[in-house]
Amino acid sequence: SASWAGASFRSTVVIMTAHGSAQLAEELLLQGAADFLMKPFRSEELRKVCDIAVRRQDYLISNAQFGRQVKALEQSRSQWKRISEVHEHLLEHLQTVVMELDANGEIRFLNRAWGQLTGFTVEESIQRPLADFLSNELVRNELAERIQHLLSNSTHSAQFELCLFTQNQSELWAECQLQRLTTDDGFRITGSLQDITTRKIAQNAVQHLQAHDVLTGLPNRLVFDAKLAQMIGSAKANAQRHALL
């Protein structure tokens, strides 16, 4: 036993000795022996002890492997949970609305920025079509067309402007970005809404100044020339007559 102590074995070890004692058996088992057999013994006893020892060793190895797998799984799950919590925290504190739509344009996910933007709660908006929150039929038709293009594989993403109404029925403009996402249960569309109302108001003000007199507020020469060119073109195309006073 002196030469065996401290050795490293990959195989199952069964101790056979004529000088056995309970203390020696305990010591050898603690050092890694699978079982202990006292001499003299019959061959049937040896086969039985070896078979039990191999089974026990296989069980211990399998149990150790299973334990390592469970530990690795717990570590992976813990890491995933931390990443998920960070991701959720970021979503909840974004100023940009993040959303997910199904193939019918119904809302499946919204972050809290939706409530800040529109005044509608996330809970009352989920499972409703995004079109329900658009300001007019023209905008609804454009959204439906964009979604159809995404689902038909003619494009993978889209960027356009939408006019929505808030809970207090005021209008707001948002830049909408959509992207098709393929999942196991079909297609979904991920997207974002960025408030551009201030920018839109400024653009409209500039366009109004370009087309109207500053003092009177009436359409200026630029508008007159454009309308005149439009009427002349219409007259030529449709054989119509127009009078200029």
Side-chain angles (χ1 to χ4, degrees), residues 117-190:
L117 181 67
T118 66
F120 294 102
T121 65
V122 171
E123 291 73 19
E124 68 180 316
S125 304
I126 292 294
Q127 296 186 342
R128 289 180 59 184
L130 179 60
D132 285 357
F133 303 94
L134 302 184
S135 61
N136 56 65
E137 194 64 28
L138 184 64
V139 182
R140 295 188 191 98
N141 291 338
E142 181 178 7
L143 174 64
E145 184 178 346
R146 299 281 186 167
I147 291 177
Q148 186 59 39
H149 286 167
L150 288 171
L151 297 179
S152 63
N153 290 326
S154 60
T155 182
H156 293 283
S157 61
Q159 181 174 336
F160 54 101
E161 295 179 353
L162 287 178
C163 186
L164 302 93
F165 66 88
T166 65
Q167 191 179 40
N168 59 12
Q169 299 303 308
S170 61
E171 290 187 346
L172 66 89
W173 283 91
E175 183 178 80
C176 179
Q177 295 185 0
L178 299 178
Q179 186 171 2
R180 186 181 71 246
L181 178 67
T182 304
T183 61
D184 294 336
D185 56 350
F187 292 110
R188 290 187 181 273
I189 297 171
T190 59

Side-chain angles (χ1 to χ4, degrees), residues 1-225:
S1 61
S3 61
W4 177 82
S8 176
F9 290 91
R10 293 182 179 272
S11 303
T12 302
V13 177
V14 176
I15 302 299
M16 296 176 290
T17 178
H19 305 285
S21 65
Q23 182 179 358
L24 177 61
E26 181 180 0
E27 180 182 350
L28 294 176
L29 289 174
L30 289 175
Q31 291 183 11
D35 210 333
F36 186 90
L37 189 62
M38 290 282 295
K39 294 179 180 179
F41 52 81
R42 296 190 299 272
S43 58
E44 293 81 5
E45 293 176 333
L46 177 61
R47 284 194 296 268
K48 183 177 181 181
V49 169
C50 289
D51 182 61
I52 293 174
V54 169
R55 292 176 183 273
R56 183 186 298 120
Q57 191 69 11
D58 288 344
Y59 170 78
L60 293 175
I61 293 174
S62 298
N63 191 52
Q65 292 173 343
F66 177 74
R68 288 193 295 269
Q69 292 174 352
V70 169
K71 185 176 180 180
L73 181 61
E74 289 176 348
Q75 291 175 344
S76 299
R77 184 177 299 172
S78 177
Q79 292 174 353
W80 176 85
K81 184 179 180 181
R82 287 196 298 269
I83 293 173
S84 178
E85 289 174 349
V86 171
H87 183 253
E88 184 177 352
H89 178 78
L90 289 174
L91 278 177
E92 294 303 321
H93 290 80
L94 279 176
Q95 298 300 314
T96 300
V97 175
V98 177
M99 61 184 177
E100 182 179 305
L101 311 176
D102 63 14
N104 297 319
E106 292 185 358
I107 300 170
R108 297 303 181 192
F109 172 82
L110 288 169
N111 65 341
R112 295 298 170 185
W114 169 263
Q116 299 171 4
L117 181 67
T118 66
F120 294 102
T121 65
V122 171
E123 291 73 19
E124 68 180 316
S125 304
I126 292 294
Q127 296 186 342
R128 289 180 59 184
L130 179 60
D132 285 357
F133 303 94
L134 302 184
S135 61
N136 56 65
E137 194 64 28
L138 184 64
V139 182
R140 295 188 191 98
N141 291 338
E142 181 178 7
L143 174 64
E145 184 178 346
R146 299 281 186 167
I147 291 177
Q148 186 59 39
H149 286 167
L150 288 171
L151 297 179
S152 63
N153 290 326
S154 60
T155 182
H156 293 283
S157 61
Q159 181 174 336
F160 54 101
E161 295 179 353
L162 287 178
C163 186
L164 302 93
F165 66 88
T166 65
Q167 191 179 40
N168 59 12
Q169 299 303 308
S170 61
E171 290 187 346
L172 66 89
W173 283 91
E175 183 178 80
C176 179
Q177 295 185 0
L178 299 178
Q179 186 171 2
R180 186 181 71 246
L181 178 67
T182 304
T183 61
D184 294 336
D185 56 350
F187 292 110
R188 290 187 181 273
I189 297 171
T190 59
S192 64
L193 295 172
Q194 181 71 43
D195 187 5
I196 59 169
T197 304
T198 302
R199 186 181 79 190
K200 198 70 176 179
I201 292 174
Q203 288 176 349
N204 292 339
V206 171
Q207 291 173 359
H208 185 272
L209 288 175
Q210 289 175 343
H212 293 78
D213 183 78
V214 178
L215 295 176
T216 65
L218 297 174
N220 59 18
R221 182 62 180 268
L222 184 65
V223 177
F224 173 78
D225 290 341

